[in-house]
Amino acid sequence: MNREKIGIIGSGLIGRSWSMLFAAADFDVEMYDIDEKQLQGAMAEVRTQLAELERLGLLRGKLSAEQQFSNIRTTSEFEDCVRGAFYVQECVPENIELKNAVHTRADAVMSDTCILASSTSALLPSRLAADIKHKNRFIVAHPTNPPFYAPLVELVPSPWTDSDVVPSTKALMEKIGQVPVVLKKEIEGFVLNRIQYSIMREGWGLIKDGIVDVDGIDKVMSAGLGRRYAFMGPFETAHLNADGMKNYADRYATMIEGVMSTLKSNDRFGGPVLEQIRTELEARIPLCDLQERRQWRDRRLAALTQLNQRIDAEDAK
Ligand SMILES: NC(=O)c1ccc[n+]([C@@H]2O[C@H](COP(=O)([O-])OP(=O)(O)OC[C@H]3O[C@@H](n4cnc5c(N)ncnc54)[C@H](O)[C@@H]3O)[C@@H](O)[C@H]2O)c1
């Protein structure tokens, strides 16, 4: 086989998604997991998901679902997964000791040019690979869940990441159809979770102060802000909502600064407010209906992807 090899360490929710994305771009994917049953489950699910994407017309790349599936193989030998790979994506649980142990093990086998990327949701790259020989080849590539429908990948280098690693990883992400955003330096929570948590913090405070209920906050996002955020961000929104960003500031700066000065402050993520949010959510979506609701969500994510693809194709004509 002459194609470039990608190693995937961990075959849970995120590892199996990465394997599909790389397989669609015709890479030779080798996936390892400490648990053989997880690997078998991952392969069965990848096959089902690829067939479903093919049925919906949402497969990426030019290969059929079966051809993409045949690009993925599994191994129960850690070293086999890493050896010969030009890029390794670590997808083990969010535990710093576990991740450090996995990186140390990969360090011993990876080539000097290989890139070792972690899927971590929040751990700083400088803490994940401080002591390995190849720490200059390490980067965080944090996907969004579900990666197939939410293509953002945050790329976070550490202070000692080689200068070629960021552009190479960015190019790789673009090649497989993901949307990379590069952070110039590391910060807790990266960008996506910082923004997500700032929305949650404000919603939390508004609920706590009796201004709105959980359903109200969720509707403000799903029927209001989220409609635009599905295809454009807050700054472009502002730019379009006036005659450009400068005019937006001329018109609204005083009002915005006034509201910003009253934004809710940090609170404990627990106690009576959590109880209120939990109770309201479980009345609306009982825990026994979560799976059905996830399917409801995924149908909409698939339809949104189809819509964006159709309009992008029309715009390109
Ligand atoms: N789930 C999400 O929404 C999401 C989104 C973005 C990033 N992430 C990050 O991705 C990473 C993986 O998350 P996940 O949701 O796929 O977790 P998961 O629990 O679904 O899967 C983890 C897998 O790692 C395997 N594993 C455990 N120890 C191992 C080892 N030593 N070597 C090899 N495999 C091992 C487990 O058997 C399991 O299959 C985490 O760092 C998480 O924070 C998760």
Side-chain angles (χ1 to χ4, degrees):
M1 191 177 293
N2 204 15
R3 285 173 298 128
E4 289 182 297
K5 175 180 158 180
I6 302 270
I8 308 274
I9 306 172
S11 65
L13 192 66
I14 294 301
R16 58 190 73 174
S17 301
W18 278 120
S19 76
M20 284 168 60
L21 293 169
F22 287 118
D26 208 16
F27 284 106
D28 167 29
V29 181
E30 186 156 16
M31 186 158 58
Y32 163 82
D33 200 290
I34 203 164
D35 180 351
E36 181 64 37
K37 273 215 220 77
Q38 274 285 96
L39 269 181
Q40 286 168 13
M43 291 304 274
E45 198 192 306
V46 164
R47 184 170 231 157
T48 307
Q49 277 195 37
L50 286 172
E52 179 62 6
L53 288 167
E54 189 165 57
R55 191 185 67 77
L56 293 170
L58 285 174
L59 264 192
R60 296 206 188 164
K62 296 191 171 57
L63 303 175
S64 70
E66 271 309 305
Q67 285 169 325
Q68 295 189 15
F69 183 71
S70 70
N71 280 344
I72 308 171
R73 58 206 159 89
T74 63
T75 176
S76 51
E77 297 297 328
F78 182 95
E79 281 69 23
D80 286 352
C81 170
V82 176
R83 193 173 292 115
F86 82 102
Y87 181 91
V88 172
Q89 184 78 38
E90 168 271 299
C91 316
V92 304
E94 192 80 351
N95 172 306
I96 190 152
E97 285 81 27
L98 174 62
K99 285 193 186 283
N100 277 334
V102 165
H103 298 152
T104 301
R105 211 168 158 193
D107 190 34
V109 193
M110 64 192 272
S111 72
D112 291 344
T113 54
C114 175
I115 292 172
L116 174 60
S118 172
S119 305
T120 182
S121 300
L123 298 168
L124 294 181
S126 61
R127 295 196 58 213
L128 280 175
D131 300 320
I132 63 173
K133 188 168 53 117
H134 291 104
K135 65 181 185 180
N136 55 322
R137 307 304 297 164
F138 182 81
I139 190 168
V140 164
H142 170 228
T144 312
N145 195 36
F148 215 90
Y149 296 127
L152 173 76
V153 181
E154 292 180 286
L155 300 181
V156 193
S158 72
W160 43 76
T161 302
D162 277 350
S163 60
D164 68 297
V165 170
V166 170
S168 300
T169 312
K170 184 167 180 272
L172 177 64
M173 292 300 134
E174 283 164 351
K175 187 169 185 179
I176 66 173
Q178 297 305 89
V179 177
V181 166
V182 176
L183 274 63
K184 291 173 188 147
K185 49 186 169 178
E186 59 180 16
I187 184 166
E188 285 77 10
F190 313 139
V191 174
L192 181 139
N193 277 327
R194 291 182 78 85
I195 291 177
Q196 172 163 242
Y197 299 157
S198 67
I199 291 172
M200 239 194 253
R201 178 170 71 179
E202 186 61 20
W204 185 279
L206 293 171
I207 292 164
K208 183 180 181 180
D209 291 351
I211 288 162
V212 68
D213 58 13
V214 180
D215 190 50
I217 294 286
D218 278 350
K219 282 197 176 116
V220 165
M221 293 306 298
S222 63
L225 291 173
R227 295 288 165 113
R228 298 191 293 234
Y229 288 175
F231 47 89
M232 66 201 282
F235 290 116
E236 186 176 342
T237 298
H239 197 52
L240 300 189
N241 278 1
D243 293 327
M245 188 66 192
K246 169 80 174 66
N247 178 253
Y248 182 85
D250 290 344
R251 288 196 211 183
Y252 302 120
T254 308
M255 182 264 285
I256 292 170
E257 284 169 7
V259 174
M260 278 183 174
S261 70
T262 69
L263 288 179
K264 302 297 174 191
S265 53
N266 215 9
D267 195 13
R268 190 167 74 85
F269 203 82
V273 184
L274 177 64
E275 198 47 29
Q276 182 187 341
I277 296 174
R278 182 186 80 84
T279 307
E280 273 196 48
L281 280 173
E282 288 179 18
R284 176 153 47 105
I285 310 162
L287 294 182
C288 58
D289 291 348
L290 282 182
Q291 194 48 29
E292 199 183 311
R293 189 68 174 172
R294 287 189 192 110
Q295 284 163 1
W296 176 95
R297 173 198 66 192
D298 290 347
R299 275 192 17 243
R300 275 156 186 76
L301 284 169
L304 189 62
T305 305
Q306 283 168 323
L307 176 72
N308 272 324
Q309 282 179 355
R310 181 169 62 72
I311 296 180
D312 283 348
E314 284 168 13
D315 285 353
K317 274 182 200 159

